[in-house]
Amino acid sequence: MVSSTHWLASQSAMAVLEDGGNAYDAVVAGAFVLHVVEPHLNGPAGEVPVLLAPAGGEVRVLCGQGVAPAGATVAHYRGLGLDLVPGTGPLAAAVPGAFDAWMLLLRDHGTKSLDDVLKYAVGYAEHGHPPVENVGATVETVRQLFETEWTSSAEIYLPGGKPPRPGVPLRNPALAATWRRLLAETAGAGDREARIDAARLVWRTGFIAEALVRQAARPTTDTSGERHTGTLTAADLAGWSATYETPAAYDWNGWTVCKAGPWSQGPAFLQQLALLPPETPAYGSADYVHLLIEGCKLAMADREAWYGDAAGAPPVPLGELLSPEYNAARRLLIGDKASYELRPGAPGGRTPRLSAHARVVVTDEPGFSPLGAGEPTVAKSPLSPVPGEPETTAEGATRGDTCHIDVVDRWGNMVAATPSGGWLQSNPVVPELGFPLGTRLQMTWLDEGLPNTLTPGRRPRTTLTPSIALRDGVPVLAFGTPGGDQQDQWQLHFFLAVAHHARVRGGLDLQGAIDAPNWHNDGFPGSFYPRGMRPGSVTVESRMPADVVTALRRRGHDVTVGPAWSEGRLCAVARDPRTGVVSAAANPRGMQGYAVGR
């Protein structure tokens, strides 16, 4: 079974499974297709966390989040007159992480050759694919920027001077040529594993690395309104590789949920579980929604105060943040009324510290796209700081999003991955390569001494957060969603519906849980430039019962009612270990998510 945010990626991954490949072969093939067909949401120079559960083995995290370059210091950025890392341009580029992570996964856990997994992406880049509407909508928001400044992007994404249109094949010959050259240069490297390592070397020190470094050195207009060069060097690229880690995990009602560590926001999902009382209110009721909103605010306040890359820094007190005692005390803060405060806790008696900018409040109303918060949209004001993934306009403010893909194979191998970054609207296309650099450093602070302070060699805290859940110690469910700061809100709502509330014919009702009316709140600092928050805000789908909306407003929530199908882009696959039966579901919102299996 495969579920992803685009039908072509799902079908390509399924083709690999049907050709005898395993889940890891399939997810790599699907991911490279996502780089082609959702270029406004991810790219090869972006990043990806991967959770993998080999049949009979331990769940592992594969970290494809690159670090800040050696020259990316607070002093350097402050010296440029900046208070925040720009949301676009090379100053926001971390060391690219996605490509090396995919290659490491393929080498260590896959069975297919480099040619086998790349051929689908090469084909769609070379011969074209039908672009989804939001590709064109995103390009339209940056048309002026592309035409006047980022002209290498205009060559691909303004064919004939017009944004891509559904029904008219969109091609990226430069990207196809990059992968063909990579395959040609590594053809004589040896066996399957040696060739994959050769490809990793080309990325880190060969023609791809050289082009990325040249691009980082080009003065580029960013969200500051000025032209800046980046800090990425050849040494940064050569010195970094993806790594495996032990997941953060939490046991709840017979389930164990695994997430990436506190360099991601994943543990905030776990803390939301820890904050739940022994008995929850009726599913979907106003009491239930209120409880989850207020718990989310507390977990996200702790995310802001305590999460970051612990390498070379004080360790994140994750054990205390997830402990029963700590969360029992935090739970007492949840009252009958909506909180408008940012209330980080003090695990182990530590004093929380926040950036002064973390408390910046915005009051403008969010815009909505057909795919929900966090998606590219032209409905929002050009420089709106409403939290979520960034929006790009001709002025340079950026809003992109993310992709997701889950796979389970016939042997029981399971994988969940959330590729993101390297958006077409985040940086100019590298003309020699056909894809742009990423902008993940915008999630760091330029305040000294914080867990998420911009620091050379450290990962920016990312919103990317795939999930794997085990039942009685056996992997059962892989799931995830795009959506920036909303990811671990929508995923929690889905998981509780599946694990605790929605059972059909004795099995897990994945599709029903995805389809259920969803919501999110923005009552905490946004992770993307320009980092604003909206205390008390809650956005709900119009399908939420009117009496629930009324009750939430009576409790003091500032409720915005969005379109009926606008919250979330969830994907999920599952396997019943008793029978070996697999299942999958995909998000109907936006009409491009796709689940497939046989």
Side-chain angles (χ1 to χ4, degrees), residues 82 84-89 92 150 220-226 228 383 390-392 395-398 442 529-530:
L82 300 172
L84 292 172
V85 177
T88 58
W150 297 6
T220 302
T221 302
D222 58 35
T223 50
S224 71
E226 303 293 331
H228 291 118
L383 294 174
E391 172 182 9
T392 306
E395 290 80 7
T398 139
Q442 68 181 286
Y529 181 92

Side-chain angles (χ1 to χ4, degrees), residues 152-164:
S152 59
S153 300
E155 291 178 12
I156 294 172
Y157 293 110
L158 286 172
K162 298 179 180 178

Side-chain angles (χ1 to χ4, degrees), residues 331-532:
R331 194 180 304 125
L332 296 176
L333 296 174
I334 300 176
D336 293 332
K337 294 292 186 180
S339 171
Y340 279 56
E341 298 178 64
L342 185 64
R343 299 180 290 180
R350 300 170 180 85
T351 301
R353 284 189 60 218
L354 298 169
S355 167
H357 200 88
R359 298 186 184 275
V360 170
V361 173
V362 296
T363 56
D364 61 323
E365 289 299 314
F368 296 97
S369 81
L371 296 184
E375 290 291 332
T377 170
V378 294
K380 288 166 56 67
S381 60
L383 294 174
S384 169
V386 174
E389 302 258 3
E391 172 182 9
T392 306
T393 68
E395 290 80 7
T398 139
R399 183 182 180 106
D401 200 6
T402 300
C403 308
H404 189 81
I405 182 168
D406 301 309
V407 185
V408 60
D409 63 27
R410 71 188 79 173
W411 301 284
N413 298 305
M414 189 175 287
V415 60
T418 310
S420 185
W423 304 303
L424 66 86
Q425 66 275 22
S426 67
N427 255 310
V429 165
V430 183
E432 305 95 321
L433 302 178
F435 58 84
L437 287 164
T439 54
R440 194 60 55 171
L441 292 185
Q442 68 181 286
M443 300 178 136
T444 61
W445 295 112
L446 296 181
D447 304 71
E448 295 281 9
L450 301 176
N452 193 32
T453 295
L454 177 67
T455 307
R458 284 172 54 181
R459 294 167 288 190
R461 188 198 70 217
T462 178
T463 52
L464 307 176
T465 173
S467 306
I468 285 181
L470 299 80
R471 184 72 175 170
D472 300 320
V474 179
V476 171
L477 180 64
F479 59 100
T481 180
D485 294 306
Q486 288 79 47
Q487 288 181 33
D488 277 326
Q489 301 185 57
W490 295 329
Q491 288 188 67
L492 179 75
H493 308 161
F494 163 81
F495 175 73
L496 291 178
V498 168
H500 203 46
H501 299 287
R503 286 184 172 269
V504 175
R505 295 183 297 278
L508 302 178
D509 182 14
L510 303 182
Q511 195 63 56
I514 288 176
D515 292 354
N518 218 325
W519 69 92
H520 81 273
N521 86 89
D522 296 316
F524 50 86
S527 294
F528 293 85
Y529 181 92
R531 313 298 300 273

Side-chain angles (χ1 to χ4, degrees), residues 5-393:
T5 49
H6 197 287
W7 69 90
L8 290 178
S10 295
Q11 290 283 36
S12 299
M14 193 67 216
V16 173
L17 294 175
E18 290 177 328
D19 192 42
N22 65 20
Y24 310 111
D25 299 313
V27 78
V28 173
F32 277 92
V33 171
L34 286 173
H35 295 332
V36 178
V37 300
E38 293 194 311
H40 58 312
L41 309 181
N42 81 132
E47 45 276 327
V48 61
V50 183
L51 264 68
L52 55 148
E58 297 291 323
V59 177
R60 299 288 284 166
V61 175
L62 175 56
C63 174
Q65 174 58 65
V67 298
T73 64
V74 168
H76 175 63
Y77 286 64
R78 291 285 191 184
L80 296 172
L82 300 172
D83 295 322
L84 292 172
V85 177
T88 58
L91 273 179
V95 177
F99 179 87
D100 195 65
W102 297 130
M103 291 298 101
L104 201 61
L105 183 65
L106 182 66
R107 186 196 71 183
D108 295 346
H109 297 276
T111 64
K112 292 291 187 180
S113 71
L114 208 53
D115 296 86
D116 287 336
V117 298
L118 284 178
K119 65 183 180 182
Y120 307 95
V122 171
Y124 288 124
E126 192 166 65
H127 303 296
H129 61 91
V132 296
E133 289 185 3
N134 270 344
V135 175
T138 301
V139 172
E140 184 61 46
T141 67
V142 286
R143 177 203 286 265
Q144 181 181 348
L145 185 66
F146 280 14
E147 290 175 337
T148 60
E149 299 274 353
W150 297 6
T151 54
S152 59
S153 300
E155 291 178 12
I156 294 172
Y157 293 110
L158 286 172
K162 298 179 180 178
R165 303 188 303 281
V168 179
L170 175 62
R171 297 176 176 85
N172 189 339
L175 179 58
T178 294
W179 298 146
R180 288 196 180 282
R181 181 175 173 183
L182 177 77
L183 292 171
E185 289 194 7
T186 59
D191 62 13
R192 192 188 77 90
E193 290 80 5
R195 190 176 182 201
I196 294 169
D197 277 335
R200 297 174 69 205
L201 198 60
V202 169
W203 178 275
R204 292 159 62 183
T205 64
F207 79 93
I208 294 177
E210 293 168 357
L212 292 173
V213 171
R214 281 195 298 271
Q215 183 63 43
R218 292 184 176 115
T220 302
T221 302
D222 58 35
T223 50
S224 71
E226 303 293 331
R227 289 187 176 90
H228 291 118
T229 58
T231 60
L232 184 69
T233 67
D236 295 317
L237 280 164
W240 183 88
S241 66
T243 53
Y244 293 101
E245 300 176 356
T246 301
Y250 187 78
D251 295 327
W252 180 83
N253 283 9
W255 292 83
T256 300
V257 182
C258 296
K259 298 290 249 177
W263 54 268
S264 77
Q265 72 172 344
F269 179 108
L270 308 181
Q271 190 175 351
Q272 288 177 85
L273 287 178
L275 283 163
L276 292 174
E279 295 293 329
T280 56
Y283 175 76
S285 66
D287 288 343
Y288 178 82
V289 176
H290 172 77
L291 175 68
L292 296 190
I293 292 169
E294 295 305 299
C296 173
K297 292 174 186 175
L298 294 174
M300 290 301 200
D302 278 346
R303 180 197 75 167
E304 197 54 55
W306 300 109
Y307 289 16
D309 186 358
V316 177
L318 194 57
E320 291 160 297
L321 288 168
L322 298 179
S323 69
E325 298 79 14
Y326 178 78
N327 286 289
R330 295 284 278 161
R331 194 180 304 125
L332 296 176
L333 296 174
I334 300 176
D336 293 332
K337 294 292 186 180
S339 171
Y340 279 56
E341 298 178 64
L342 185 64
R343 299 180 290 180
R350 300 170 180 85
T351 301
R353 284 189 60 218
L354 298 169
S355 167
H357 200 88
R359 298 186 184 275
V360 170
V361 173
V362 296
T363 56
D364 61 323
E365 289 299 314
F368 296 97
S369 81
L371 296 184
E375 290 291 332
T377 170
V378 294
K380 288 166 56 67
S381 60
L383 294 174
S384 169
V386 174
E389 302 258 3
E391 172 182 9
T392 306
T393 68

